[in-house]
Amino acid sequence: MALQCGILGLPNAGKSTLFNALTASDVPAENYPFCTIDPNVGIVAVPDARLAVLERIYQPGQVTPAVVEFVDVAGLVRGASKGEGLGNQFLAHIRATDALVHVVRCFEDSEVTHVEGSLDPVRDAQIIETELLLKDLESLARRSQRAAKAARSGEKDAAAELAALERLTAALDAGQMARSLTLSDGEQALVRQLNLLTFKPILYVANVDEGEIQHKERGPLPTALAEFAAAEGNTIIRLCGQIEQEIAVLEGDEQSDFLAEFGLPEPGLDKLVHAAYALLNYQTFFTGSSQEVRAWTVPAGAKAPQAAGVIHTDFQRGFIKAEVFHYDDLARLGSEQALKEAGLVRQEGKEYRVREGDVIFFKFNV
């Protein structure tokens, strides 16, 4: 499965600059609202140094990394939930995403206008959260009308659904985000079916300037945003979008030299992709052969048949067993044969929970 993240924020927060860096593409990033009109979708490889080791061991014809899909769309403004700017069109595009990457401007620049007229990261974050909340209330109201009609006609389970919708509506109306609520299994299923925006986890990206990113400690603006994010159970990273866009077009030694110049241990975009994985508690397993080495993504705690289904539904449907060993052991011993001789290759059944870094060969019959 590919993790899909929606990139959102106010106009001129740096969303398109970040997207350009992620995809090394050329989406316009002009100094005016709504430069990004149609959604831009980019597929980004998940950085994983283990693939190079596996490539050396298996000598495959192809190496395929895990990927994250990023959707960059028009900036939100106040009133977006009611159709201001391009809000309604925008919000429809992020409903299907797994998580939200909220880019918040944390840099001063007199040449880049701010749609609110001043710089205040917490206020800006609250504007976006309010619009998501209002849009969810609109979705709940429409669904409640249908459920009420069905309940009056005696339709089975409609009354229970209506009660759940009323509880959700009351909570959101009081300013609570759906992700902060303690929900029953039925309520969780309903929330997922509705694709409520406030149920999606948020990764805040503090878009800072060159001076800020060179300091290990956060400055006042990203610190304020971090405190706001922590209070809501969300996470934050710092990036300098402008630097990341420059890094993205460099290769090899040039990129390393550029990072060293700014005292950065790695591209911030690597940090962003890994943070997105951690946000959803995803993990990676591998398959390896002379044809292909590939990284796959599953939720943490996934059982072997579920992991098999990520490769192909037939693998899950006809699952027999999984031959499993760990990347660390393979990297240390250098070959599958050496692993077998050391007794480090296991046969696992349907109840086996996949671990981060497992290398798996699935056996199935359909």
Side-chain angles (χ1 to χ4, degrees):
M1 62 177 66
L3 168 63
Q4 188 180 61
C5 296
I7 303 178
L8 72 162
L10 292 175
N12 293 342
K15 296 184 303 81
S16 293
T17 299
L18 178 63
F19 183 84
N20 290 347
L22 281 165
T23 60
S25 63
D26 193 25
V27 177
E30 303 297 339
N31 180 25
Y32 56 87
F34 314 126
C35 176
T36 308
I37 297 176
D38 296 320
N40 298 287
V41 179
I43 306 296
V44 181
V46 176
D48 195 329
R50 294 173 295 184
L51 286 172
V53 176
L54 292 172
E55 181 179 19
R56 187 167 63 249
I57 292 171
Y58 284 101
Q59 301 287 306
Q62 182 176 341
V63 176
T64 305
V67 298
V68 178
E69 184 174 301
F70 287 94
V71 182
D72 174 41
V73 280
L76 286 172
V77 294
R78 289 184 190 270
S81 61
K82 302 301 180 184
E84 291 294 325
L86 299 175
N88 278 319
Q89 176 183 336
F90 165 79
L91 291 170
H93 286 303
I94 64 167
R95 281 211 178 274
T97 59
D98 302 300
L100 303 177
V101 175
H102 185 170
V103 182
V104 182
R105 179 172 167 180
C106 291
F107 64 89
E108 297 276 6
D109 190 336
S110 60
E111 296 184 1
V112 179
T113 59
H114 194 295
V115 70
E116 287 291 314
S118 62
L119 186 60
D120 184 338
V122 173
R123 177 207 59 206
D124 294 351
Q126 290 172 327
I127 288 172
I128 300 297
E129 293 235 337
T130 298
E131 295 306 321
L132 299 181
L133 193 67
L134 291 172
K135 195 64 178 177
D136 278 355
L137 283 168
E138 183 182 306
S139 298
L140 288 169
R142 286 197 303 268
R143 183 63 174 255
S144 294
Q145 288 176 353
R146 293 198 297 272
K149 183 178 179 180
R152 287 193 298 269
S153 67
E155 187 174 317
K156 184 182 178 181
D157 299 330
E161 179 180 318
L162 182 59
L165 288 165
E166 288 173 345
R167 188 175 97 81
L168 286 167
T169 298
L172 268 63
D173 206 33
Q176 292 181 271
M177 301 296 163
R179 62 180 169 269
S180 70
L181 303 177
T182 301
L183 303 174
S184 67
D185 290 344
E187 288 170 334
Q188 285 194 39
L190 180 60
V191 166
R192 290 194 178 94
Q193 187 180 29
L194 289 168
N195 270 325
L196 292 186
L197 297 165
T198 60
F199 190 65
K200 300 179 187 298
I202 292 183
L203 171 64
Y204 284 100
V205 175
N207 189 13
V208 302
D209 60 23
E210 294 182 6
E212 164 75 24
I213 201 63
Q214 294 180 71
H215 291 94
K216 290 185 178 180
E217 300 298 323
R218 298 186 181 117
L221 293 176
T223 293
L225 181 62
E227 290 171 352
F228 169 78
E232 297 214 332
N234 296 317
T235 56
I236 180 174
I237 62 171
R238 291 184 306 165
L239 291 182
C240 176
Q242 199 58 51
I243 286 180
E244 296 303 327
Q245 194 167 6
E246 294 180 44
I247 291 173
V249 298
L250 300 176
E251 295 182 0
D253 292 341
E254 284 187 328
Q255 187 177 96
S256 299
D257 291 344
F258 193 94
L259 289 169
E261 180 182 343
F262 285 94
L264 302 175
E266 64 177 346
L269 298 181
D270 288 7
K271 181 167 61 175
L272 171 60
V273 172
H274 290 137
Y277 258 60
L279 186 67
L280 285 171
N281 200 21
Y282 278 12
Q283 62 186 22
T284 301
F285 74 92
F286 302 98
T287 53
S289 70
S290 59
Q291 284 75 46
E292 182 183 33
V293 162
R294 184 160 182 167
W296 305 88
T297 300
V298 291
K303 292 183 179 180
Q306 183 182 351
V310 171
I311 300 174
H312 198 286
T313 53
D314 283 350
F315 284 26
Q316 182 169 6
R317 184 160 53 92
F319 178 90
I320 299 174
K321 60 183 176 180
E323 187 175 274
V324 183
F325 48 91
H326 200 269
Y327 164 82
D328 290 343
D329 293 326
L330 179 61
R332 177 170 54 86
L333 296 179
S335 72
E336 287 189 20
Q337 182 60 39
L339 288 172
K340 291 175 181 176
E341 291 172 359
L344 294 173
V345 178
R346 311 183 311 278
Q347 304 297 319
E348 300 287 359
K350 292 182 178 180
E351 295 305 309
Y352 176 69
R353 295 190 181 277
V354 176
R355 295 189 303 151
E356 169 67 36
D358 275 346
V359 184
I360 308 178
F361 176 76
F362 294 102
K363 297 181 181 180
F364 69 103
N365 182 33
V366 291

